[in-house]
Amino acid sequence: MNRLMQTLTRSTVAIAVMTACVASALAADLKVGLSVSLSGPNSSLGVPYSKGMAAAQAYKGEINGRKVQLIVLDDGSDPTTAGRNARKLIEEEKVDVIMGTSGVPAAIAMAQVAKETKTPMIGLTPILLDAADNPWVMTVAQPTQLMIDAVVERMKRNNVKTVGYIGFSDAWGDLVYTAMMKAAPKAGITVVSNERYARADASVTGQVLKIVALKPDAVMTGGAGTPGALPFLALQERGYKGGVYGQHGLINPDFVRVVGAAGQGALMPTGPIIVAEQLPDNYPTKKIGLDFRSVFQKTNGAPTTDAFSAYSFDGWLVFADAAARAKGEPGTPEFRVALRDAIFSTKEVVGTHGVYTFKPGDISGVDERARVIVKLEDGKWKLAP
């Protein structure tokens, strides 16, 4: 009897060990890789992205009984490093999806790696890619054209006839300018300048002097993060009295801190999360927006005051919805294909920035519900009427 009991005990222990091993395997067999700018000029965007992702993991850290592991790498605001991070996350960490990053050039570098390795990528910036050429990438950020259309509509309402443009001398500056050139003529507005500056520049005085000399009714800025404050500061120094407009790349507390009084009254589009408590109760994103703010506070020990942390939260929501539907074993090429296909069949997933519906051939999944116009008043964003 004692021998029988010993045998049964050993069998029970063996089964328990096997069960623990299986549970351990399940505990981390969904992997998300995030590359963002935790240092460098884009860190004012990258740090919120990482904090938003931490809140997302706390909000929904398990999918169909599988725990999700999050791996975060710093790209130092460098596109080359972002591409290298994407490759490391995919080839060494064996992630099922990559997300990032804090600037359009770096996101494009990641997208090329996603295409090459056949790995789904959820972009957090409004990258503009040919979906037919790269069917592995989608983005939760609003398309630049959708947001700039809203700015131009507001300019027309404010009787703006001429506008000067100043933006980054990179892909983001190009995206904003191209969108302006498409929308402005239809509204009877003439764009009179195309001035550029680098993200690392310390001054834009020369460019602003050229714009002020043209006497435009308004100025449109195509910057992001803290470097995006430079045109506002220079325009104030030169005594410019016209309207100054921005876009969603400027919605973060570091921009507000640096721009100070020079940003007073600036109008720009953003996702509805930034003014969630000011939205009507029936607005589709209000509830999840307030839920996000609550979990962000609990996770990070401070409130969220930016738009960027919510993009990574929404990226996680889209991933979680798709992962729950995707068939196959995580960590395999077959699962990556299934996950990609599931993401592109996403329907009406309510996020903080918008309601997401993806389809093949369209990398962006939002509509007009993903934008509102806000005004900067006394260092706070107010929903514009």
Side-chain angles (χ1 to χ4, degrees), residues 243-276:
V244 185
Y245 295 77
Q247 28 60 43
H248 47 311
L250 299 174
I251 308 292
N252 74 68
D254 284 335
F255 166 78
V256 174
R257 173 180 56 81
V258 172
V259 79
Q264 179 73 9
L267 290 160
M268 53 195 76
T270 184
I273 178 59
I274 204 69
V275 287

Side-chain angles (χ1 to χ4, degrees), residues 62-92:
E62 189 173 292
I63 301 169
N64 287 353
R66 301 178 188 272
K67 291 185 178 179
V68 186
Q69 181 179 349
L70 173 63
I71 303 164
V72 183
L73 298 179
D74 177 19
D75 63 30
S77 302
D78 177 56
T80 301
T81 303
R84 190 161 52 242
N85 282 353
R87 194 171 299 280
K88 179 178 181 180
L89 290 166
I90 294 165
E91 296 179 352
E92 297 181 21

Side-chain angles (χ1 to χ4, degrees), residues 159-217:
N159 296 316
V160 171
K161 299 299 182 183
T162 57
V163 58
Y165 178 77
I166 177 170
F168 285 158
S169 55
D170 62 19
W172 179 239
D174 292 343
L175 282 174
V176 177
Y177 180 72
T178 300
M180 275 294 298
M181 293 303 293
K182 183 176 180 180
K186 298 176 184 177
I189 297 172
T190 302
V191 180
V192 298
S193 71
N194 182 14
E195 297 295 329
R196 302 301 184 95
Y197 67 102
R199 292 175 186 250
D201 285 353
S203 172
V204 294
T205 300
Q207 296 93 318
V208 163
L209 283 172
K210 294 178 183 178
I211 292 174
V212 172
L214 296 171
K215 300 181 179 179
D217 297 329

Side-chain angles (χ1 to χ4, degrees), residues 4 100 102 105 129 142-143 149 162 193 211 228-229 242 244 266 269 280 282 292 348 351 362:
L4 176 60
S102 315
L129 297 172
Q142 299 92 335
D149 284 349
T162 57
S193 71
I211 292 174
V244 185
N282 63 350
F292 161 67
E348 294 289 295
D362 184 3

Side-chain angles (χ1 to χ4, degrees), residues 18-298:
M18 290 174 62
T19 302
C21 289
V22 170
S24 177
L26 286 175
D29 59 2
L30 277 170
K31 287 187 176 183
V32 174
L34 174 69
S35 177
V36 287
S37 304
L38 301 178
S39 59
N42 291 336
S43 60
S44 65
L45 315 183
V47 172
Y49 278 137
S50 65
K51 290 183 177 180
M53 197 67 81
Q57 187 179 30
Y59 182 77
K60 192 174 184 63
E62 189 173 292
I63 301 169
N64 287 353
R66 301 178 188 272
K67 291 185 178 179
V68 186
Q69 181 179 349
L70 173 63
I71 303 164
V72 183
L73 298 179
D74 177 19
D75 63 30
S77 302
D78 177 56
T80 301
T81 303
R84 190 161 52 242
N85 282 353
R87 194 171 299 280
K88 179 178 181 180
L89 290 166
I90 294 165
E91 296 179 352
E92 297 181 21
E93 301 292 348
K94 309 298 182 185
V95 300
D96 299 297
V97 62
I98 58 174
M99 298 191 199
T101 176
S102 315
V104 172
I108 291 174
M110 290 183 68
Q112 293 306 310
V113 178
K115 172 186 175 182
E116 178 187 333
T117 59
K118 294 182 170 58
T119 303
M121 174 179 166
I122 298 177
L124 306 178
T125 56
I127 50 179
L128 184 61
L129 297 172
D130 183 350
D133 180 61
N134 191 339
W136 290 90
V137 181
M138 66 291 301
T139 179
V140 291
Q142 299 92 335
T144 307
Q145 193 67 57
L146 179 73
M147 303 304 263
I148 301 307
D149 284 349
V151 175
V152 171
E153 289 169 11
R154 182 57 58 133
M155 287 180 176
K156 182 177 180 179
R157 178 176 169 178
N158 291 344
N159 296 316
V160 171
K161 299 299 182 183
T162 57
V163 58
Y165 178 77
I166 177 170
F168 285 158
S169 55
D170 62 19
W172 179 239
D174 292 343
L175 282 174
V176 177
Y177 180 72
T178 300
M180 275 294 298
M181 293 303 293
K182 183 176 180 180
K186 298 176 184 177
I189 297 172
T190 302
V191 180
V192 298
S193 71
N194 182 14
E195 297 295 329
R196 302 301 184 95
Y197 67 102
R199 292 175 186 250
D201 285 353
S203 172
V204 294
T205 300
Q207 296 93 318
V208 163
L209 283 172
K210 294 178 183 178
I211 292 174
V212 172
L214 296 171
K215 300 181 179 179
D217 297 329
V219 174
M220 177 65 191
T221 66
T226 49
L230 285 176
F232 292 84
L233 295 168
L235 286 165
Q236 183 191 52
E237 290 172 359
R238 305 314 302 176
Y240 180 71
K241 300 300 182 183
V244 185
Y245 295 77
Q247 28 60 43
H248 47 311
L250 299 174
I251 308 292
N252 74 68
D254 284 335
F255 166 78
V256 174
R257 173 180 56 81
V258 172
V259 79
Q264 179 73 9
L267 290 160
M268 53 195 76
T270 184
I273 178 59
I274 204 69
V275 287
E277 73 287 345
Q278 301 175 42
L279 297 171
D281 288 342
N282 63 350
Y283 203 89
T285 67
K286 181 168 185 174
K287 182 182 183 304
I288 188 66
L290 296 177
D291 288 347
F292 161 67
R293 289 192 174 183
S294 176
V295 71
F296 186 98
Q297 173 77 44
K298 292 177 182 177

